[in-house]
C-alpha cells in the first residue's frame, strides 16, 4: 500500500533490525516541499480474523483474551497475527485462527485493509470474515496464553462501545459487522 511519498534522493538509514520489525530514519523531501526526518517502523503486515458463529439465531463473535505487555493489561481481541515471509494473507489468517483458537472456517471473505498507525508505521492489517466455523484443538506458540469466548454480536458491540474492548483492530471489525448485515438487508 505504499505509493508515491518521498521524492527520490531520500536518505534512509536502518536504526534497528529485529526478528519481527525494523526501524529506519528517513530524511525526505515530502510532496508538499517539506524536508523532514521521519522515523518509520517497518512490519511485514498482519491479519485479523472476525470469526462469526452463525449456528444460533443470533451471530456470535469469537474473542480472545491475552496479556499484552505494551498495554500492561489483558485485552479482549479478535484472533490476529503476522503474515510470515512467502505466505499469503489468507493463508496467514487460516493459520492464525487455527493456532490461536483451534477453529477452522469453511468460508472466508476479505472485508477491510488499513494502516495501523501511518504516522510512523508502514504496517497494514487485513481483516477477514470467517464463517462456517468448526472447533478443533488450538496450537498456540510457547509464549501465548489465550482464553477464547464466543459472545453475541450485541455483547461484543457493547464491550467495544463501553471500553471493555480497547484494541483498535477488534473495534473496527466489530463495528463493521452490523453495518455489513444492515447493508446486505438494504440490497435485498
Amino acid at each position: 500500500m505504499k505509493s508515491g511519498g518521498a521524492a527520490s534522493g531520500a536518505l534512509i538509514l536502518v536504526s534497528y533490525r529485529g526478528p519481527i520489525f525494523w526501524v529506519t530514519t528517513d530524511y525526505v523531501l515530502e510532496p508538499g516541499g517539506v524536508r523532514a526526518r521521519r522515523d518509520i517502523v517497518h512490519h511485514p503486515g498482519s491479519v485479523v480474523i472476525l470469526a462469526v458463529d452463525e449456528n444460533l439465531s443470533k451471530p456470535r463473535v469469537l474473542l480472545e483474551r491475552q496479556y499484552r505487555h505494551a498495554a500492561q493489561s489483558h485485552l479482549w481481541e479478535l484472533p490476529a497475527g503476522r503474515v510470515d515471509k512467502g505466505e499469503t494473507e489468507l493463508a496467514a489468517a487460516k493459520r492464525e485462527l487455527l493456532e490461536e483458537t483451534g477453529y477452522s472456517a469453511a468460508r472466508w471473505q476479505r472485508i477491510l485493509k488499513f494502516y495501523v498507525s501511518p504516522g510512523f508505521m508502514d504496517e497494514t492489517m487485513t481483516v477477514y470474515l470467517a464463517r462456517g466455523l468448526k472447533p478443533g484443538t488450538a496450537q498456540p506458540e510457547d509464549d501465548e496464553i489465550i482464553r477464547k469466548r464466543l459472545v453475541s454480536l450485541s455483547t461484543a458491540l457493547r464491550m467495544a462501545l463501553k471500553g471493555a474492548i480497547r484494541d483498535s483492530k477488534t473495534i473496527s471489525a466489530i463495528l463493521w459487522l452490523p453495518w455489513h448485515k444492515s447493508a446486505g438487508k438494504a440490497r435485498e
Side-chain angles (χ1 to χ4, degrees):
M1 287 182 38
K2 291 182 185 175
S3 62
S8 63
L11 175 63
I12 300 173
L13 306 169
V14 176
S15 305
Y16 170 80
R17 183 172 298 278
I20 297 173
F21 64 90
W22 65 100
V23 180
T24 61
T25 299
D26 302 2
Y27 296 92
V28 299
L29 177 62
E30 293 186 338
V34 175
R35 290 192 182 282
R37 171 188 167 162
R38 301 289 185 231
D39 295 316
I40 307 296
V41 177
H42 299 273
H43 187 281
S46 300
V47 291
V48 181
I49 303 93
L50 176 57
V52 179
D53 178 14
E54 301 168 315
N55 290 327
L56 301 176
S57 61
K58 294 186 178 184
R60 296 184 303 163
V61 175
L62 181 61
L63 293 177
E64 0 179 279
R65 187 163 177 85
Q66 63 180 320
Y67 181 75
R68 294 298 195 179
H69 179 72
Q72 295 286 297
S73 183
H74 285 84
L75 299 179
W76 286 107
E77 303 176 57
L78 292 174
R82 182 179 69 241
V83 178
D84 290 336
K85 187 174 183 168
E87 187 177 41
T88 67
E89 291 172 339
L90 180 57
K94 290 178 177 181
R95 174 182 51 75
E96 288 291 345
L97 181 63
L98 181 64
E99 284 179 5
E100 293 186 359
T101 71
Y103 280 87
S104 58
R107 296 181 307 283
W108 292 84
Q109 176 187 351
R110 189 179 111 165
I111 59 171
L112 296 169
K113 185 165 186 168
F114 55 87
Y115 284 102
V116 174
S117 187
F120 67 95
M121 292 184 76
D122 69 356
E123 178 185 6
T124 59
M125 285 193 161
T126 302
V127 183
Y128 282 91
L129 175 63
R131 297 180 303 164
L133 299 182
K134 180 181 173 188
T137 303
Q139 304 159 19
E141 295 181 23
D142 292 339
D143 65 343
E144 292 179 319
I145 300 171
I146 300 171
R147 280 187 18 218
K148 61 184 181 227
R149 180 182 297 167
L150 283 164
V151 300
S152 68
L153 175 56
S154 61
T155 297
L157 284 166
R158 201 168 32 258
M159 290 171 72
L161 296 174
K162 293 193 180 264
I165 295 175
R166 296 177 293 146
D167 173 67
S168 63
K169 67 185 182 296
T170 301
I171 293 168
S172 298
I174 287 172
L175 293 177
W176 175 88
L177 190 56
W179 171 85
H180 170 72
K181 290 188 160 301
S182 65
K185 288 178 184 173
R187 289 189 297 254
E188 293 175 358

